[in-house]
Amino acid sequence: MKVQVLFFGATADETGEREIEFSLAENTNANQAFAEIVEKFPRLKNHKLLFAVNQEYASGGEIVKGGDELAVFTAVSGG
Amino acid sequence: MDFFEITNDPLDVGAIARRVVPANCGATITLDGYVRQFTKGRETLHLVYEAYEPMALKEMEKLIAKARERFEIENVGIVHRLGKLEIGETSVVVTVAAPHRRAAFEACEWLIKELKRTVPIWKKEVYRGGEIWIEGEPAIKN
């Protein structure tokens, strides 16, 4: 199945991407999905990362579904 | 009539603060967050803000709901600007109206602290000699 993965700020710079399509096995949970994404873009390991699934902070155990919107970003710094 | 918005346009702090003036309130406390020139001796030239906009708006909405549970307040407005901001330009406005000022002060402080911790917005600092995406405290547990 395929999901969208979004990157912002530092993670966009590290990956050279802002939005990609990413293939995952069925019944992959969020922790596994994000581990696979980080493996594909090892430079992300230089950062403490936060993850979101469908615009909510990921808890980790939730099962990712085809078409979901995942996001990988660094600790936020607005304000 | 709470409001929470993200814009690329300059922010008019006074106008935002006066957008909602509830009849049962006596004070509006407004934070005008703007671009600082010197941080621990390093000179900032300008900042560039970027957001995960749909998620940032959802997180702002959640913050307002939580603030309403914690404080005796009547109305909240949050507006964050994106893009390139020069020194002294307003990046964020948090405005809280309440029947009495104390709750508004406390809610305003709580809201900006939580916004900086949870709302997915990032700033890139362009300084003399380089640039860096600022990474906040990783307070959200995944």
Side-chain angles (χ1 to χ4, degrees):
Chain A
M1 65 180 189
K2 295 204 184 300
V3 297
Q4 297 299 117
V5 184
L6 309 182
F7 303 100
F8 299 91
T11 62
D13 284 358
E14 292 286 25
T15 61
E17 304 279 1
R18 300 196 74 85
E19 179 173 354
I20 61 167
E21 201 173 63
F22 197 77
S23 293
L24 293 169
E26 298 286 336
N27 289 317
T28 300
N29 73 25
N31 279 337
Q32 295 163 331
F34 289 114
E36 289 186 34
I37 295 164
V38 172
E39 279 309 308
K40 182 175 167 65
F41 299 102
R43 287 165 59 95
L44 292 173
K45 293 175 185 169
N46 297 331
H47 302 270
K48 290 189 174 166
L49 299 171
L50 299 175
F51 304 108
V53 177
N54 295 331
Q55 302 168 4
E56 303 279 349
Y57 284 105
S59 58
E62 66 266 57
I63 299 298
V64 175
K65 296 183 294 298
D68 277 356
E69 179 178 297
L70 279 54
V72 179
F73 47 82
T74 56
V76 306
S77 60
Chain B
M1 284 182 289
D2 296 324
F3 54 95
F4 45 97
E5 299 165 1
I6 291 173
T7 178
N8 284 292
D9 299 327
L11 303 183
D12 180 338
V13 181
I16 292 168
R18 295 300 288 189
R19 262 167 64 175
V20 181
V21 183
N24 63 334
C25 288
T28 292
I29 300 301
T30 303
L31 173 83
D32 171 3
Y34 53 82
V35 180
R36 180 170 52 233
Q37 184 170 12
F38 292 99
T39 301
K40 294 174 183 165
R42 182 162 80 188
E43 182 177 8
T44 300
L45 300 178
H46 64 264
L47 298 180
V48 179
Y49 284 88
E50 160 174 335
Y52 183 7
E53 281 196 47
M55 181 172 170
L57 291 169
K58 284 186 187 181
E59 291 293 323
M60 286 180 184
E61 187 171 22
K62 286 184 204 168
L63 280 188
I64 292 173
K66 286 184 193 164
R68 287 183 158 288
E69 288 174 13
R70 297 171 73 104
F71 305 100
E72 293 291 320
I73 55 177
E74 185 63 29
N75 202 83
V76 177
I78 301 174
V79 188
H80 205 298
R81 185 175 166 193
L82 302 181
K84 180 180 176 182
L85 274 74
E86 305 293 343
I87 303 300
E89 284 196 291
T90 298
S91 56
V92 64
V93 175
V94 177
T95 188
V96 183
H100 304 286
R101 71 178 184 281
R102 179 185 288 275
F105 271 111
E106 291 174 355
C108 191
E109 164 64 14
W110 184 86
L111 281 160
I112 188 63
K113 183 169 58 99
E114 291 297 303
L115 178 148
K116 291 166 82 84
R117 198 175 69 84
T118 65
V119 176
I121 299 175
W122 304 268
K123 62 167 78 80
K124 181 165 70 177
E125 182 187 350
V126 178
Y127 55 91
R128 220 171 272 291
E131 59 178 48
I132 186 170
W133 282 104
I134 305 297
E135 300 184 26
E137 295 298 313
I140 300 288
K141 271 185 67 185
N142 269 122

